[in-house]
Amino acid sequence: MLRGDIEGDDLEQYVQERVITTTLDRAANWARGNSLFPATFGLACCAIEMMSVVGARLDIARFGFEAFRASPRQADLLILSGRISIKMAPVVRRIYDQMLDPKYAIAMGACSSSMGVFNNYAIVPADKFLPVDVHVPGCPPRPEALMHGILKLRSMVHSDPTMGWRERYGAENTVEVLPDEGERLRAEHAAAVNATDAEGFPGA
């Protein structure tokens, strides 16, 4: 091709088979989604299952997630592996605030998602104090379930790192919106959902 020996349709076919074109945003999302650095952070029994994903049987290093970072300033993924007490919630939030942007959170297990079997005043679901991107059900979930959740997060990062709902609810980065602004955003979202339901069900 460089010598000019290929012309016309042959040149077009040659280029289509060997050249990949994309946008800078998609290339950045591809790199970001394949190099997430989870924080070395465990809360309870789910942490044992979280440790298993780096073993030889699952080998999550295949997807670029094996580098668990000991400092939140070097991590961009927080896996909440276990129950979160009222006293622990501010500590978890502080760790999340110290992480790199853009950052993501996975609620692993029933306790961090819905308080699980410890459904009492002492336990706090993760959604109450930080934005959770993926919930992994189970008590505790198997390592395969966590790996599935991580791969779901990776596909979300590849398509859109803001993941839609963050902008809709004013949850960009760690900046919280004012109450009035948040109420306005929720009202607009509710109106859009009601309009969609009305269009889908003419009798409504």
Side-chain angles (χ1 to χ4, degrees), residues 26-121:
R26 292 192 64 181
N29 293 343
W30 175 86
R32 183 179 295 132
N34 288 288
S35 61
L36 291 174
F37 288 167
T40 306
F41 179 77
L43 286 165
C45 44
C46 285
I48 305 301
E49 309 295 325
M50 180 184 71
M51 297 174 199
S52 302
V53 299
V54 298
R57 187 167 65 87
L58 293 180
D59 189 22
I60 205 168
R62 294 173 292 163
F63 308 105
F65 299 101
E66 80 282 7
F68 276 76
R69 311 308 298 179
S71 170
R73 292 174 178 83
Q74 298 176 353
D76 55 6
L77 172 60
L78 183 62
I79 301 175
L80 301 170
S81 53
R83 59 192 178 273
I84 307 166
S85 65
I86 291 177
K87 289 185 176 181
M88 194 64 186
V91 179
V92 176
R93 179 66 198 211
R94 179 178 296 180
I95 292 173
Y96 182 81
D97 289 341
Q98 292 175 349
M99 289 167 53
L100 298 171
D101 285 320
K103 53 194 169 188
Y104 312 97
I106 293 179
M108 179 183 178
C111 291
S112 61
S113 298
S114 61
M115 298 186 292
V117 297
F118 303 99
N119 193 359
N120 56 46
Y121 67 91

Side-chain angles (χ1 to χ4, degrees), residues 99-180:
M99 289 167 53
L100 298 171
D101 285 320
K103 53 194 169 188
Y104 312 97
I106 293 179
M108 179 183 178
C111 291
S112 61
S113 298
S114 61
M115 298 186 292
V117 297
F118 303 99
N119 193 359
N120 56 46
Y121 67 91
I123 306 301
V124 182
D127 286 322
K128 294 295 184 180
F129 60 92
L130 61 82
V132 175
D133 300 295
V134 175
H135 292 81
V136 179
C139 184
R142 289 186 55 82
E144 293 88 348
L146 175 60
M147 190 162 109
H148 178 72
I150 292 176
L151 294 181
K152 282 289 185 182
L153 176 63
R154 184 182 72 157
S155 65
M156 294 163 70
V157 174
H158 282 173
S159 60
D160 182 9
T162 61
M163 287 176 281
W165 67 268
R166 289 175 176 265
E167 183 178 356
R168 184 166 67 242
Y169 289 104
E172 285 295 326
N173 300 325
T174 58
V175 179
E176 297 180 1
V177 298
L178 297 174
D180 294 341

